[in-house]
Amino acid sequence: MSAAAPIGVPGHVPLVHLLRDGLVEGVHHGSVVVVGPDGSVLFQAGDAGTAFYPRSTAKPVQAVAMVRLGLSLPPDLLALTAASHSGERVHLEGTRRILDAGGFAEADLANPADLPYDPVERASWVADGRSARKLAHNCSGKHAAMLDTARRNGWSTADYLDPAHPLQREVAATVEELTGEPVAHVATDGCGAPLFSVSLRGLATAAGRIAAAPAGSPAHRVAEAIRAHPEMVAGSRRDVSALMRAVPGLIAKDGFEAVQVAALPDGTAVAVKIADGSDRARPPVTAAALALAGADAAALAGFAGPGAPDGLEVVGPLAGALRAAA
């Protein structure tokens, strides 16, 4: 295991230009890394070594930890365990199924109440006069699974988000094992769960290890669930679900503050962080990085952005990635 990622200001670089009539109107800085199946760095732009928060891109790793601890769910609900869901009916019903199977109620969820994440679902929810609910929070599937995992192991459930809880200690150990580096810093994510800081390179390594895990292993079960149910990992109108449908065998996960991870079946993986947290720059950078990783450029075309003279244009070392792969 390597040393913990240093804590400091990441050295991000320009990755995407926003163009209007050929003039650069805006610049998105960030960092991106592509790692091979052995974790070696194949490409890097910006800073892949400084500690950062993976946010919800850590959910597949959390799901692996829970399966190791005995969580046993059908594939669609296991995918929901690794989800930042849109709040569509299928997600709410799925979370309810996990809760009901473990004998829990919505009130047992320790995540905050929220409105659905998807704008269409949120607008419908508000139009119906419905208030925020814990069930509607985009992390509710993960939290329901955490409750069930604690129950299966005979652990307390009221404090399942405490970093000292046996469940969270196992999650931290799994993060360190799959990333290949110690946790650099522990914080609290927006849903209340412990948030373990690692490097962008470590995050990509973890994704690659899950994607290429041997058949029958907990990590393989998580990867197969994500591949089979991309709509449960995000939603019917989300770019990350569409990306998994477009690239055979891909597992992918987005996170708040414009973080993205994606891994091909052979374990080649990419991780992206857009410095300003803008989601509009995340898909084209991810697509370009996946092209460098060996994904079919034609399948990625819809995620690359409009390009010049108007719209988003990937710049710097990534600029020709999709054209070179075509």
Side-chain angles (χ1 to χ4, degrees):
M1 182 178 292
S2 64
I7 295 175
V9 179
H12 295 307
V13 298
L15 293 179
V16 175
H17 285 170
L18 176 66
L19 302 173
R20 184 182 298 275
D21 290 335
L23 181 70
V24 176
E25 185 175 26
V27 180
H28 293 289
H29 290 69
S31 297
V32 56
V33 65
V34 181
V35 301
D38 61 353
S40 61
V41 175
L42 305 179
F43 172 85
Q44 176 180 326
D47 187 346
T50 299
F52 87 118
Y53 292 131
R55 303 302 299 266
S56 286
T57 62
K59 284 177 179 172
V61 180
Q62 293 169 316
V64 170
M66 286 188 270
V67 174
R68 288 178 172 180
L69 289 169
L71 180 68
S72 181
L73 296 171
D76 62 328
L77 299 186
L78 185 53
L80 184 60
T81 297
S84 300
H85 66 70
S86 289
E88 298 173 57
R89 176 173 294 183
V90 66
H91 303 128
L92 306 187
E93 291 177 348
T95 301
R96 177 65 72 189
R97 285 165 58 197
I98 299 173
L99 290 171
D100 289 347
F104 294 105
E106 181 177 351
D108 294 314
L109 294 169
N111 58 265
D114 202 355
L115 300 175
Y117 178 74
D118 180 84
V120 175
E121 298 298 327
R122 179 179 290 238
S124 176
W125 193 282
V126 172
D128 290 342
R130 305 172 72 182
S131 59
R133 290 181 56 179
K134 291 186 173 187
L135 196 68
H137 191 284
N138 73 90
C139 299
S140 64
K142 177 185 77 174
H143 282 257
M146 285 184 169
L147 283 168
D148 192 40
T149 303
R151 177 191 65 83
R152 289 171 183 267
N153 286 275
W155 298 328
S156 58
T157 56
D159 60 342
Y160 73 91
L161 294 184
D162 188 329
H165 192 282
L167 168 62
Q168 301 303 337
R169 291 203 303 267
E170 181 62 27
V171 170
T174 303
V175 168
E176 293 186 335
E177 176 191 335
L178 293 180
T179 63
E181 58 188 55
V183 170
H185 181 68
V186 181
T188 303
D189 211 340
C191 67
L195 180 60
F196 302 110
S197 178
V198 295
S199 72
L200 198 66
R201 180 179 62 247
L203 178 65
T205 299
R209 287 174 171 170
I210 293 172
S217 67
H220 182 260
R221 288 177 56 192
V222 171
E224 286 296 280
I226 290 172
R227 291 178 181 123
H229 298 280
E231 76 287 349
M232 295 298 281
V233 178
S236 63
R237 289 175 285 269
R238 298 271 291 283
D239 64 85
V240 69
S241 295
L243 182 64
M244 286 188 278
R245 289 192 295 267
V247 181
L250 187 74
I251 66 169
K253 184 70 189 73
D254 56 345
F256 279 172
E257 296 304 316
V259 185
Q260 173 87 58
V261 68
L264 297 166
D266 70 349
T268 305
V270 310
V272 173
K273 164 62 182 174
I274 304 301
D276 61 7
S278 173
D279 262 345
R280 73 181 180 186
R282 174 182 52 78
V285 173
T286 301
L290 280 171
L292 285 178
D296 179 15
L300 297 167
F303 304 91
D310 291 303
L312 300 173
E313 180 179 59
V314 176
V315 299
L318 276 175
L322 288 168
R323 292 191 298 272

